[in-house]
Protein backbone atom coordinates (compact mmCIF):
# COMPACT_ATOMS: atom_id res chain seq x y z
CA UNK A 1 0.00 0.00 0.00
CA UNK A 2 1.31 3.44 -0.94
CA UNK A 3 2.18 5.82 1.90
CA UNK A 4 -0.31 8.60 2.64
CA UNK A 5 2.15 11.19 3.93
CA UNK A 6 5.67 12.35 3.16
CA UNK A 7 6.73 11.21 6.62
CA UNK A 8 5.41 7.69 5.89
CA UNK A 9 7.23 7.72 2.52
CA UNK A 10 10.47 8.70 4.29
CA UNK A 11 9.99 5.92 6.88
CA UNK A 12 9.36 3.36 4.11
CA UNK A 13 12.46 4.49 2.23
CA UNK A 14 14.62 4.31 5.38
CA UNK A 15 13.24 0.87 6.24
CA UNK A 16 14.18 -0.41 2.78
CA UNK A 17 17.82 0.72 3.03
CA UNK A 18 20.42 -1.90 3.81
CA UNK A 19 22.02 -1.63 7.26
CA UNK A 20 25.16 -0.21 5.65
CA UNK A 21 23.25 2.40 3.63
CA UNK A 22 21.11 3.32 6.65
CA UNK A 23 24.29 3.87 8.69
CA UNK A 24 25.76 6.03 5.88
CA UNK A 25 22.54 8.03 5.69
CA UNK A 26 22.62 8.69 9.45
CA UNK A 27 26.31 9.58 9.32
CA UNK A 28 25.71 12.10 6.53
CA UNK A 29 22.75 13.50 8.50
CA UNK A 30 25.06 14.19 11.44
CA UNK A 31 27.75 15.66 9.17
CA UNK A 32 25.42 18.24 7.58
CA UNK A 33 26.77 21.73 8.14
CA UNK A 34 23.63 23.65 7.15
CA UNK A 35 21.16 24.81 9.78
CA UNK A 36 19.14 23.40 11.35
CA UNK A 37 21.56 20.70 12.48
CA UNK A 38 20.73 17.32 13.94
CA UNK A 39 22.46 16.30 17.16
CA UNK A 40 24.14 12.95 17.64
CA UNK A 41 21.78 11.96 20.49
CA UNK A 42 18.83 12.38 18.12
CA UNK A 43 20.26 9.77 15.73
CA UNK A 44 22.45 7.22 17.52
CA UNK A 45 20.71 3.95 18.23
CA UNK A 46 17.48 5.05 16.56
CA UNK A 47 15.45 2.98 14.12
CA UNK A 48 14.02 4.08 10.76
CA UNK A 49 10.74 5.34 12.26
CA UNK A 50 12.56 7.47 14.81
CA UNK A 51 14.89 8.88 12.14
CA UNK A 52 11.86 9.79 9.98
CA UNK A 53 10.42 11.59 13.03
CA UNK A 54 13.71 13.46 13.53
CA UNK A 55 13.79 14.50 9.86
CA UNK A 56 10.22 15.84 9.88
CA UNK A 57 10.44 17.53 13.28
CA UNK A 58 13.75 19.19 12.36
CA UNK A 59 13.10 20.17 8.72
CA UNK A 60 9.27 20.02 8.23
CA UNK A 61 7.79 17.45 5.84
CA UNK A 62 8.79 19.28 2.64
CA UNK A 63 12.24 20.12 3.97
CA UNK A 64 12.77 16.56 5.23
CA UNK A 65 12.24 15.19 1.72
CA UNK A 66 14.82 17.62 0.29
CA UNK A 67 17.33 16.72 2.99
CA UNK A 68 16.69 12.99 2.51
CA UNK A 69 17.26 13.28 -1.25
CA UNK A 70 20.49 15.18 -0.59
CA UNK A 71 21.72 12.62 1.97
CA UNK A 72 20.78 9.64 -0.20
CA UNK A 73 22.82 11.21 -2.99
CA UNK A 74 25.79 11.58 -0.63
CA UNK A 75 25.40 7.92 0.36
CA UNK A 76 25.37 6.85 -3.32
CA UNK A 77 21.78 5.57 -3.10
CA UNK A 78 20.62 6.76 -6.54
CA UNK A 79 17.89 4.13 -6.90
CA UNK A 80 16.40 5.11 -3.54
CA UNK A 81 16.46 8.79 -4.58
CA UNK A 82 14.48 7.99 -7.73
CA UNK A 83 11.98 5.85 -5.80
CA UNK A 84 11.48 8.50 -3.10
CA UNK A 85 11.05 11.29 -5.66
CA UNK A 86 8.51 9.18 -7.55
CA UNK A 87 6.52 8.39 -4.39
CA UNK A 88 6.58 12.02 -3.23
CA UNK A 89 5.56 13.25 -6.69
CA UNK A 90 2.63 10.82 -6.52
CA UNK A 91 1.62 12.24 -3.15
CA UNK A 92 1.95 15.81 -4.45
CA UNK A 93 -0.18 15.05 -7.50
CA UNK A 94 -3.09 13.55 -5.58
CA UNK A 95 -6.36 15.55 -5.54
CA UNK A 96 -6.39 18.14 -2.82
CA UNK A 97 -2.69 18.93 -3.00
CA UNK A 98 -1.28 22.16 -4.28
CA UNK A 99 -2.76 22.94 -7.68
CA UNK A 100 -2.73 19.27 -8.66
CA UNK A 101 0.37 19.93 -10.80
CA UNK A 102 3.75 18.28 -10.98
CA UNK A 103 6.59 20.55 -9.84
CA UNK A 104 8.05 20.53 -13.37
CA UNK A 105 4.76 21.79 -14.81
CA UNK A 106 3.99 24.24 -12.04
CA UNK A 107 7.34 26.02 -12.40
CA UNK A 108 7.72 25.68 -16.17
CA UNK A 109 8.30 29.40 -16.78
CA UNK A 110 10.75 29.81 -13.90
CA UNK A 111 12.67 26.67 -14.88
CA UNK A 112 12.83 27.78 -18.51
CA UNK A 113 14.17 31.19 -17.49
CA UNK A 114 16.52 30.16 -14.71
CA UNK A 115 18.07 26.72 -15.43
CA UNK A 116 21.52 27.58 -16.67
CA UNK A 117 23.64 24.43 -17.01
CA UNK A 118 21.73 22.34 -19.51
CA UNK A 119 24.48 20.04 -20.83
CA UNK A 120 24.86 17.92 -17.67
CA UNK A 121 21.06 17.73 -17.38
CA UNK A 122 20.75 16.56 -20.98
CA UNK A 123 23.53 14.01 -20.42
CA UNK A 124 21.66 12.52 -17.46
CA UNK A 125 18.32 12.51 -19.31
CA UNK A 126 19.99 10.57 -22.12
CA UNK A 127 21.72 8.23 -19.67
CA UNK A 128 18.45 7.46 -17.85
CA UNK A 129 16.53 6.80 -21.06
CA UNK A 130 14.26 9.86 -20.93
CA UNK A 131 15.85 11.33 -24.06
CA UNK A 132 16.72 9.43 -27.21
CA UNK A 133 20.03 10.14 -28.99
CA UNK A 134 18.42 12.06 -31.89
CA UNK A 135 16.46 14.37 -29.56
CA UNK A 136 19.58 14.78 -27.39
CA UNK A 137 21.66 15.89 -30.40
CA UNK A 138 18.92 18.27 -31.60
CA UNK A 139 18.52 19.91 -28.19
CA UNK A 140 22.27 20.19 -27.57
CA UNK A 141 22.61 22.08 -30.86
CA UNK A 142 20.22 24.82 -29.73
CA UNK A 143 22.00 28.09 -28.84
CA UNK A 144 20.48 29.00 -25.46
CA UNK A 145 19.43 27.25 -22.27
CA UNK A 146 15.93 28.70 -22.66
CA UNK A 147 15.50 27.17 -26.13
CA UNK A 148 16.81 23.84 -24.82
CA UNK A 149 14.31 23.90 -21.96
CA UNK A 150 11.43 24.77 -24.29
CA UNK A 151 12.37 21.86 -26.53
CA UNK A 152 12.40 19.50 -23.52
CA UNK A 153 8.92 20.65 -22.57
CA UNK A 154 7.70 20.10 -26.15
CA UNK A 155 9.26 16.65 -26.31
CA UNK A 156 10.18 14.14 -23.65
CA UNK A 157 8.48 15.95 -20.76
CA UNK A 158 5.14 15.44 -22.49
CA UNK A 159 5.62 11.68 -22.02
CA UNK A 160 4.09 11.78 -18.55
CA UNK A 161 4.82 11.71 -14.86
CA UNK A 162 7.68 9.21 -15.00
CA UNK A 163 9.80 11.42 -17.27
CA UNK A 164 8.96 14.47 -15.14
CA UNK A 165 9.96 12.61 -11.97
CA UNK A 166 13.36 11.74 -13.43
CA UNK A 167 13.80 15.31 -14.69
CA UNK A 168 12.93 16.66 -11.23
CA UNK A 169 15.49 14.38 -9.59
CA UNK A 170 18.16 15.50 -12.10
CA UNK A 171 17.26 19.13 -11.36
CA UNK A 172 17.73 18.43 -7.64
CA UNK A 173 21.20 17.06 -8.39
CA UNK A 174 22.26 19.86 -10.76
CA UNK A 175 20.25 22.95 -9.81
CA UNK A 176 19.73 22.38 -6.08
CA UNK A 177 19.67 26.04 -5.09
CA UNK A 178 17.17 26.94 -7.81
CA UNK A 179 14.84 24.09 -6.80
CA UNK A 180 15.16 25.06 -3.12
CA UNK A 181 14.32 28.65 -4.02
CA UNK A 182 11.22 27.64 -6.01
CA UNK A 183 10.08 25.27 -3.26
CA UNK A 184 10.30 27.98 -0.61
CA UNK A 185 8.24 30.45 -2.65
CA UNK A 186 5.01 28.43 -2.74
Amino acid sequence: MAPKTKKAALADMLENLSKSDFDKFCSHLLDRREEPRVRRRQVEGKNFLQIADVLVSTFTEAGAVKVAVELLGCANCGQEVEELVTVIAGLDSKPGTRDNQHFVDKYKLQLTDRVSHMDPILDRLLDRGVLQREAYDTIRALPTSQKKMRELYCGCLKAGTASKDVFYQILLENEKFLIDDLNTKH
Side-chain angles (χ1 to χ4, degrees), residues 3-149:
K4 294 183 179 174
T5 65
K6 291 179 182 180
K7 181 178 173 183
L10 287 167
D12 288 351
M13 177 273 305
L14 290 169
E15 181 181 25
N16 291 331
L17 291 177
S18 68
K19 167 94 172 96
S20 169
D21 286 342
F22 181 75
D23 290 344
K24 281 192 244 177
F25 181 90
C26 291
S27 175
H28 288 299
L29 178 59
L30 291 171
D31 289 344
R32 277 185 89 250
R33 296 293 167 229
E34 296 88 10
E35 292 293 334
R37 304 241 350 238
V38 174
R39 303 207 183 286
R40 185 167 299 283
R41 66 179 164 71
Q42 293 174 282
V43 173
E44 281 187 341
K46 305 292 192 225
N47 66 30
F48 68 94
L49 290 171
Q50 293 164 317
I51 296 298
D53 281 338
V54 167
L55 287 168
V56 170
S57 65
T58 304
F59 305 105
T60 74
E61 269 198 345
V65 171
K66 290 182 223 166
V67 169
V69 167
E70 170 194 326
L71 298 175
L72 288 168
C74 292
N76 295 319
C77 297
Q79 169 111 20
E80 289 80 0
V81 169
E82 288 184 33
E83 290 171 6
L84 181 61
V85 167
T86 300
V87 168
I88 296 300
L91 289 173
D92 286 343
S93 66
K94 296 241 182 340
T97 58
R98 289 188 350 120
D99 300 345
N100 234 5
Q101 281 187 308
H102 194 286
F103 179 92
V104 169
D105 294 325
K106 181 169 190 140
Y107 294 107
K108 178 179 179 178
L109 293 175
Q110 294 91 333
L111 290 171
T112 300
D113 289 342
R114 295 175 61 190
V115 169
S116 55
H117 298 24
M118 284 300 297
D119 289 345
I121 293 170
L122 293 171
D123 292 343
R124 284 166 180 76
L125 287 169
L126 177 66
D127 184 55
R128 295 185 189 170
V130 174
L131 267 181
Q132 300 302 314
R133 172 55 74 174
E134 185 178 342
Y136 171 86
D137 292 339
T138 301
I139 295 170
R140 285 275 322 259
L142 295 171
T144 66
S145 292
Q146 290 80 13
K147 287 184 179 182
K148 291 175 184 181
M149 284 294 291

